[in-house]
Coordinates of all heavy atoms in Angstrom, one line a residue:
M624 N -9.8 -14.3 11.8 CA -9.1 -15.5 11.9 C -9.3 -16.4 10.7 O -8.5 -17.2 10.3 CB -9.5 -16.3 13.1 CG -9.4 -15.5 14.4 SD -7.8 -14.9 14.7 CE -8.1 -13.7 16.0
K625 N -10.5 -16.3 10.0 CA -10.8 -17.2 8.9 C -9.8 -16.9 7.8 O -9.5 -17.8 7.0 CB -12.2 -17.0 8.4 CG -12.5 -15.6 7.8 CD -14.0 -15.5 7.4 CE -14.2 -14.1 6.8 NZ -15.6 -14.0 6.3
Y626 N -9.3 -15.7 7.6 CA -8.3 -15.4 6.5 C -7.0 -16.1 6.8 O -6.3 -16.5 5.9 CB -8.2 -13.9 6.4 CG -9.4 -13.2 6.0 CD1 -10.1 -12.4 6.9 CD2 -10.0 -13.4 4.8 CE1 -11.3 -11.8 6.6 CE2 -11.2 -12.7 4.4 CZ -11.8 -12.0 5.4 OH -13.0 -11.3 5.0
C627 N -6.6 -16.2 8.0 CA -5.4 -16.8 8.4 C -5.4 -18.3 8.1 O -4.5 -18.9 7.6 CB -5.0 -16.6 9.9 SG -4.7 -14.9 10.3
E628 N -6.5 -18.9 8.4 CA -6.6 -20.4 8.3 C -6.6 -20.9 6.9 O -6.0 -21.9 6.6 CB -7.9 -20.9 9.0 CG -7.9 -20.8 10.5 CD -9.2 -21.2 11.1 OE1 -10.0 -21.9 10.4 OE2 -9.4 -21.0 12.3
N629 N -7.2 -20.1 5.9 CA -7.4 -20.7 4.6 C -6.8 -19.8 3.4 O -6.7 -20.3 2.3 CB -8.9 -20.9 4.3 CG -9.5 -21.9 5.3 OD1 -8.9 -22.9 5.6 ND2 -10.6 -21.5 5.9
E630 N -6.4 -18.6 3.7 CA -6.1 -17.8 2.5 C -4.6 -17.3 2.5 O -4.2 -16.7 1.5 CB -7.0 -16.6 2.5 CG -8.5 -17.1 2.2 CD -9.4 -16.0 1.9 OE1 -9.0 -14.9 1.4 OE2 -10.6 -16.2 2.1
I631 N -3.9 -17.5 3.6 CA -2.5 -17.0 3.6 C -1.6 -18.0 2.9 O -0.6 -17.6 2.2 CB -2.0 -16.7 5.0 CG1 -2.7 -15.5 5.6 CG2 -0.5 -16.6 5.1 CD1 -2.3 -15.2 7.0
S632 N -1.9 -19.3 3.1 CA -1.0 -20.3 2.6 C -1.8 -21.5 2.1 O -3.0 -21.6 2.4 CB -0.1 -20.8 3.7 OG 0.7 -21.9 3.3
S633 N -1.2 -22.4 1.3 CA -1.9 -23.6 0.9 C -2.1 -24.6 2.0 O -2.9 -25.5 2.0 CB -1.2 -24.2 -0.3 OG 0.1 -24.6 0.1
K634 N -1.2 -24.4 3.1 CA -1.3 -25.2 4.3 C -2.2 -24.4 5.3 O -2.2 -23.2 5.3 CB 0.0 -25.4 4.9 CG 1.0 -26.2 4.0 CD 2.3 -26.3 4.7 CE 3.3 -27.0 3.7 NZ 4.6 -27.1 4.3
Q635 N -3.0 -25.1 6.0 CA -3.9 -24.5 7.0 C -3.1 -23.9 8.1 O -2.2 -24.6 8.7 CB -5.0 -25.5 7.5 CG -6.0 -24.8 8.4 CD -7.1 -25.7 8.8 OE1 -6.9 -26.9 9.0 NE2 -8.3 -25.1 9.1
I636 N -3.3 -22.7 8.5 CA -2.7 -22.0 9.6 C -3.7 -21.7 10.6 O -4.7 -21.0 10.3 CB -2.0 -20.7 9.1 CG1 -1.0 -21.0 8.0 CG2 -1.4 -19.9 10.2 CD1 -0.4 -19.8 7.3
V637 N -3.5 -22.2 11.8 CA -4.4 -21.9 12.9 C -3.8 -20.9 13.9 O -2.7 -21.1 14.4 CB -4.7 -23.2 13.7 CG1 -5.7 -23.0 14.8 CG2 -5.3 -24.2 12.7
L638 N -4.4 -19.8 14.1 CA -3.9 -18.8 15.0 C -4.4 -19.1 16.4 O -5.6 -19.1 16.6 CB -4.5 -17.4 14.5 CG -3.9 -16.2 15.2 CD1 -2.4 -16.1 15.1 CD2 -4.6 -14.9 14.6
E639 N -3.5 -19.5 17.2 CA -3.8 -19.9 18.6 C -2.7 -19.7 19.5 O -1.6 -19.2 19.1 CB -4.2 -21.4 18.6 CG -3.1 -22.3 18.1 CD -3.4 -23.8 17.9 OE1 -4.6 -24.1 18.0 OE2 -2.5 -24.6 17.7
G640 N -3.0 -19.9 20.8 CA -1.9 -19.8 21.8 C -1.4 -18.4 22.0 O -2.1 -17.4 22.0
E641 N -0.1 -18.3 22.2 CA 0.5 -17.0 22.5 C 0.4 -16.0 21.4 O 0.2 -14.8 21.6 CB 2.0 -17.2 22.8 CG 2.3 -17.9 24.2 CD 3.8 -18.0 24.4 OE1 4.6 -17.2 23.9 OE2 4.2 -19.0 25.1
L642 N 0.5 -16.5 20.1 CA 0.3 -15.6 19.0 C -1.1 -15.0 19.0 O -1.2 -13.8 18.7 CB 0.7 -16.3 17.7 CG 0.6 -15.4 16.4 CD1 1.5 -14.2 16.6 CD2 0.9 -16.2 15.2
L643 N -2.1 -15.8 19.2 CA -3.5 -15.4 19.2 C -3.6 -14.3 20.3 O -4.2 -13.3 20.1 CB -4.4 -16.5 19.4 CG -5.9 -16.1 19.6 CD1 -6.4 -15.4 18.3 CD2 -6.8 -17.4 19.8
E644 N -3.1 -14.6 21.5 CA -3.2 -13.7 22.6 C -2.5 -12.3 22.2 O -3.0 -11.3 22.5 CB -2.6 -14.3 23.8 CG -2.7 -13.4 25.1 CD -2.1 -14.1 26.3 OE1 -1.9 -15.3 26.3 OE2 -1.8 -13.3 27.3
W645 N -1.3 -12.4 21.6 CA -0.6 -11.2 21.2 C -1.4 -10.4 20.2 O -1.5 -9.2 20.3 CB 0.8 -11.6 20.6 CG 1.7 -10.5 20.3 CD1 2.5 -9.8 21.1 CD2 1.7 -9.8 19.0 NE1 3.1 -8.8 20.4 CE2 2.7 -8.8 19.1 CE3 1.1 -10.0 17.8 CZ2 3.0 -7.9 18.0 CZ3 1.4 -9.2 16.7 CH2 2.3 -8.2 16.9
V646 N -1.9 -11.1 19.2 CA -2.7 -10.4 18.2 C -4.0 -9.7 18.8 O -4.3 -8.5 18.6 CB -3.2 -11.3 17.1 CG1 -4.2 -10.6 16.2 CG2 -2.0 -11.8 16.2
N647 N -4.6 -10.4 19.7 CA -5.8 -9.9 20.4 C -5.5 -8.7 21.3 O -6.3 -7.8 21.5 CB -6.5 -10.9 21.2 CG -7.3 -11.9 20.3 OD1 -7.7 -11.5 19.2 ND2 -7.5 -13.1 20.7
N648 N -4.3 -8.6 21.8 CA -3.9 -7.5 22.7 C -3.1 -6.4 22.0 O -2.7 -5.5 22.7 CB -3.0 -8.1 23.9 CG -3.9 -9.0 24.8 OD1 -5.0 -8.7 25.1 ND2 -3.3 -10.1 25.2
F649 N -2.8 -6.6 20.7 CA -2.1 -5.6 20.0 C -2.8 -4.3 19.9 O -4.0 -4.3 19.6 CB -1.7 -6.1 18.6 CG -0.7 -5.2 17.9 CD1 0.6 -5.3 18.1 CD2 -1.2 -4.3 17.0 CE1 1.5 -4.5 17.5 CE2 -0.3 -3.5 16.3 CZ 1.0 -3.6 16.5
D650 N -2.1 -3.2 20.0 CA -2.8 -1.9 19.9 C -2.7 -1.4 18.4 O -1.7 -0.8 18.0 CB -2.0 -0.8 20.8 CG -2.6 0.5 20.7 OD1 -3.7 0.7 20.1 OD2 -2.0 1.5 21.2
F651 N -3.7 -1.7 17.7 CA -3.8 -1.4 16.3 C -4.0 0.1 16.0 O -3.9 0.6 14.9 CB -4.8 -2.2 15.5 CG -4.4 -3.7 15.3 CD1 -4.8 -4.6 16.2 CD2 -3.6 -4.0 14.3 CE1 -4.4 -6.0 16.1 CE2 -3.2 -5.3 14.1 CZ -3.6 -6.3 15.0
S652 N -4.3 0.9 17.1 CA -4.5 2.3 16.9 C -3.2 3.0 16.5 O -3.2 4.2 16.1 CB -5.0 2.9 18.2 OG -4.1 2.9 19.2
I653 N -2.0 2.3 16.5 CA -0.8 3.0 16.1 C -0.8 3.2 14.6 O 0.1 3.9 14.1 CB 0.5 2.2 16.5 CG1 0.5 0.8 15.8 CG2 0.5 2.0 18.0 CD1 1.8 0.0 16.0
F654 N -1.7 2.5 13.9 CA -1.8 2.7 12.4 C -2.8 3.7 12.1 O -3.8 3.8 12.7 CB -2.1 1.3 11.7 CG -1.1 0.3 12.0 CD1 -1.4 -0.7 12.9 CD2 0.1 0.3 11.4 CE1 -0.4 -1.7 13.2 CE2 1.1 -0.7 11.6 CZ 0.8 -1.7 12.5
E655 N -2.6 4.5 11.0 CA -3.5 5.4 10.5 C -4.0 5.0 9.1 O -3.3 4.5 8.3 CB -2.9 6.8 10.4 CG -2.4 7.4 11.7 CD -1.8 8.8 11.5 OE1 -1.8 9.3 10.4 OE2 -1.2 9.3 12.5
K656 N -5.3 5.4 8.9 CA -5.9 5.2 7.6 C -5.4 6.3 6.6 O -5.4 7.5 7.0 CB -7.4 5.2 7.7 CG -8.1 5.0 6.4 CD -9.6 5.0 6.7 CE -10.4 5.1 5.4 NZ -11.8 5.1 5.7
I657 N -4.9 5.9 5.5 CA -4.5 6.9 4.5 C -5.3 6.7 3.2 O -5.3 5.5 2.7 CB -3.0 6.8 4.2 CG1 -2.2 7.0 5.4 CG2 -2.6 7.8 3.1 CD1 -0.7 6.8 5.2
H658 N -5.9 7.7 2.7 CA -6.7 7.5 1.5 C -5.8 7.2 0.3 O -4.7 7.8 0.2 CB -7.5 8.8 1.2 CG -8.6 8.6 0.3 ND1 -8.5 8.5 -1.1 CD2 -10.0 8.5 0.5 CE1 -9.6 8.3 -1.7 NE2 -10.5 8.3 -0.7
T659 N -6.2 6.4 -0.6 CA -5.4 5.9 -1.7 C -4.9 7.1 -2.6 O -3.8 7.2 -3.0 CB -6.2 5.0 -2.6 OG1 -6.7 3.9 -1.8 CG2 -5.4 4.4 -3.7
K660 N -5.8 8.1 -2.8 CA -5.3 9.3 -3.6 C -4.2 10.0 -3.0 O -3.3 10.6 -3.7 CB -6.5 10.2 -3.9 CG -7.1 11.0 -2.8 CD -8.2 11.9 -3.2 CE -8.8 12.6 -2.1 NZ -9.9 13.5 -2.4
N661 N -4.1 10.0 -1.6 CA -3.0 10.7 -1.0 C -1.7 9.9 -1.1 O -0.6 10.5 -1.2 CB -3.4 11.0 0.5 CG -4.5 12.0 0.7 OD1 -4.7 12.8 -0.2 ND2 -5.2 11.9 1.7
I662 N -1.8 8.6 -1.1 CA -0.7 7.8 -1.3 C -0.1 8.0 -2.7 O 1.1 8.2 -2.9 CB -1.0 6.3 -1.1 CG1 -1.4 6.0 0.4 CG2 0.2 5.4 -1.5 CD1 -1.9 4.6 0.6
L663 N -1.0 8.1 -3.7 CA -0.6 8.3 -5.1 C 0.0 9.7 -5.3 O 1.0 9.8 -6.0 CB -1.7 8.0 -6.0 CG -2.2 6.6 -6.1 CD1 -3.4 6.5 -7.0 CD2 -1.1 5.7 -6.6
K664 N -0.5 10.7 -4.6 CA 0.0 12.0 -4.7 C 1.5 12.1 -4.2 O 2.3 12.7 -4.7 CB -0.8 13.0 -3.8 CG -2.0 13.5 -4.5 CD -2.7 14.5 -3.6 CE -4.0 15.0 -4.2 NZ -4.7 15.9 -3.3
E665 N 1.8 11.3 -3.1 CA 3.1 11.2 -2.6 C 4.0 10.4 -3.5 O 5.2 10.8 -3.8 CB 3.1 10.6 -1.2 CG 2.6 11.5 -0.1 CD 2.8 10.8 1.3 OE1 3.7 10.1 1.5 OE2 1.9 11.1 2.1
H666 N 3.5 9.3 -4.1 CA 4.2 8.4 -4.9 C 4.6 9.1 -6.3 O 5.5 8.6 -7.0 CB 3.5 7.1 -5.1 CG 4.3 6.0 -5.7 ND1 4.5 5.9 -7.0 CD2 5.1 5.1 -5.1 CE1 5.3 4.8 -7.2 NE2 5.7 4.3 -6.1
I667 N 3.8 10.0 -6.7 CA 4.0 10.6 -8.1 C 5.4 11.2 -8.2 O 5.9 11.3 -9.4 CB 2.9 11.7 -8.4 CG1 2.8 11.9 -9.9 CG2 3.2 13.0 -7.7 CD1 1.5 12.6 -10.3
N668 N 6.1 11.5 -7.2 CA 7.4 12.1 -7.3 C 8.5 11.0 -7.3 O 9.7 11.2 -7.4 CB 7.7 13.0 -6.1 CG 6.8 14.2 -6.1 OD1 6.6 14.8 -7.2 ND2 6.2 14.6 -5.0
H669 N 8.1 9.7 -7.1 CA 9.0 8.6 -7.1 C 9.5 8.3 -8.6 O 8.7 8.4 -9.5 CB 8.3 7.4 -6.5 CG 9.3 6.2 -6.3 ND1 9.7 5.4 -7.3 CD2 9.9 5.8 -5.2 CE1 10.5 4.5 -6.8 NE2 10.7 4.7 -5.5
P670 N 10.8 8.0 -8.8 CA 11.3 7.8 -10.1 C 10.5 6.7 -10.9 O 10.5 6.7 -12.1 CB 12.7 7.4 -9.9 CG 13.1 7.7 -8.5 CD 11.8 7.9 -7.8
N671 N 10.0 5.7 -10.2 CA 9.3 4.6 -10.9 C 7.8 4.7 -11.0 O 7.1 3.8 -11.3 CB 9.7 3.3 -10.2 CG 11.1 2.9 -10.4 OD1 11.8 3.3 -11.4 ND2 11.7 2.3 -9.4
H672 N 7.3 5.9 -10.7 CA 5.8 6.1 -10.6 C 5.2 5.7 -12.0 O 4.2 5.0 -12.1 CB 5.5 7.5 -10.2 CG 4.0 7.8 -10.2 ND1 3.2 7.3 -9.2 CD2 3.2 8.3 -11.1 CE1 2.0 7.7 -9.4 NE2 1.9 8.3 -10.6
L673 N 5.7 6.3 -13.1 CA 5.2 6.1 -14.4 C 5.3 4.6 -14.8 O 4.4 4.1 -15.5 CB 5.8 7.0 -15.5 CG 5.5 8.5 -15.3 CD1 6.3 9.3 -16.3 CD2 4.0 8.7 -15.4
I674 N 6.4 4.0 -14.4 CA 6.5 2.5 -14.8 C 5.5 1.7 -14.1 O 4.9 0.8 -14.6 CB 7.9 2.1 -14.4 CG1 9.0 2.8 -15.3 CG2 8.1 0.6 -14.5 CD1 10.4 2.6 -14.8
R675 N 5.2 2.0 -12.8 CA 4.3 1.2 -12.0 C 2.8 1.5 -12.3 O 2.0 0.7 -12.4 CB 4.5 1.5 -10.5 CG 5.8 0.9 -10.1 CD 6.0 1.0 -8.6 NE 7.2 0.4 -8.2 CZ 8.0 0.9 -7.3 NH1 7.7 2.0 -6.6 NH2 9.2 0.4 -7.0
F676 N 2.5 2.8 -12.6 CA 1.1 3.2 -12.7 C 0.7 3.7 -14.1 O -0.4 3.9 -14.4 CB 0.8 4.3 -11.7 CG 0.9 3.8 -10.3 CD1 2.0 4.2 -9.5 CD2 -0.1 3.0 -9.7 CE1 2.1 3.7 -8.2 CE2 0.0 2.6 -8.4 CZ 1.1 2.9 -7.6
G677 N 1.7 3.9 -15.0 CA 1.4 4.4 -16.3 C 0.9 5.8 -16.3 O 1.2 6.6 -15.4
G678 N 0.3 6.2 -17.3 CA -0.3 7.6 -17.4 C 0.5 8.4 -18.4 O 0.2 9.6 -18.5
G679 N 1.5 7.9 -19.0 CA 2.2 8.7 -20.0 C 3.2 9.6 -19.4 O 3.4 9.7 -18.2
L680 N 3.9 10.3 -20.2 CA 5.0 11.2 -19.8 C 4.4 12.6 -19.5 O 3.4 12.9 -20.2 CB 6.1 11.2 -20.8 CG 6.9 9.9 -21.0 CD1 7.8 10.1 -22.2 CD2 7.6 9.5 -19.8
P681 N 5.0 13.4 -18.7 CA 4.6 14.7 -18.5 C 4.7 15.5 -19.8 O 5.6 15.2 -20.6 CB 5.5 15.3 -17.5 CG 6.3 14.2 -16.9 CD 6.2 13.0 -17.9
E682 N 3.8 16.5 -20.0 CA 3.8 17.3 -21.2 C 5.1 18.1 -21.3 O 5.5 18.7 -20.3 CB 2.6 18.2 -21.3 CG 2.3 18.7 -22.6 CD 1.0 19.4 -22.7 OE1 0.0 18.9 -22.2 OE2 0.9 20.5 -23.3
R683 N 5.7 18.2 -22.5 CA 6.9 18.9 -22.7 C 6.5 20.4 -22.8 O 5.4 20.8 -23.3 CB 7.6 18.5 -24.0 CG 8.3 17.2 -23.9 CD 9.1 17.0 -25.2 NE 10.0 15.9 -25.0 CZ 10.9 15.6 -25.9 NH1 10.9 16.2 -27.0 NH2 11.8 14.6 -25.7
E684 N 7.5 21.2 -22.5 CA 7.4 22.7 -22.7 C 7.2 23.0 -24.2 O 7.9 22.4 -25.0 CB 8.6 23.4 -22.1 CG 8.5 24.9 -22.2 CD 9.8 25.5 -21.6 OE1 10.3 25.0 -20.6 OE2 10.2 26.6 -22.1
K685 N 6.3 23.9 -24.6 CA 6.1 24.2 -25.9 C 7.2 25.1 -26.4 O 7.7 26.0 -25.7 CB 4.8 25.0 -26.1 CG 3.5 24.3 -25.6 CD 3.1 23.3 -26.6 CE 1.8 22.7 -26.2 NZ 1.6 21.4 -26.5
L686 N 7.7 24.8 -27.6 CA 8.8 25.6 -28.2 C 8.3 26.7 -29.0 O 7.2 26.6 -29.7 CB 9.6 24.7 -29.1 CG 10.4 23.5 -28.5 CD1 11.1 22.7 -29.5 CD2 11.4 24.0 -27.5
D687 N 8.9 27.8 -29.0 CA 8.5 29.0 -29.8 C 9.1 28.9 -31.2 O 10.3 28.9 -31.4 CB 9.0 30.3 -29.1 CG 8.6 31.5 -29.8 OD1 7.7 31.4 -30.7 OD2 9.1 32.6 -29.5
T688 N 8.3 28.6 -32.1 CA 8.7 28.4 -33.5 C 8.4 29.6 -34.4 O 8.4 29.5 -35.6 CB 8.0 27.2 -34.1 OG1 6.6 27.3 -34.0 CG2 8.5 25.9 -33.3
S689 N 8.1 30.8 -33.8 CA 7.7 31.9 -34.6 C 8.9 32.9 -34.9 O 8.9 34.0 -34.5 CB 6.6 32.7 -33.8 OG 7.1 33.2 -32.6
M690 N 9.9 32.4 -35.5 CA 11.1 33.2 -35.8 C 11.0 33.7 -37.2 O 10.7 33.2 -38.1 CB 12.3 32.4 -35.5 CG 12.6 32.2 -34.1 SD 14.2 31.4 -34.0 CE 14.6 31.6 -32.4

């Protein structure tokens, strides 16, 4: 609750009443923990991955110059 009161907004937000009851009764088990490296493995196929995370471009195929 301390994060809601002072860190979400410059105005103080007090979690109380029906909303507090709803939050306290919410079944948070519907969410799963996903390790960051697994999120990045999935995101690596996204077209904007390199723009967001950097890392350079994939290595190009070597050309055969022995003619």
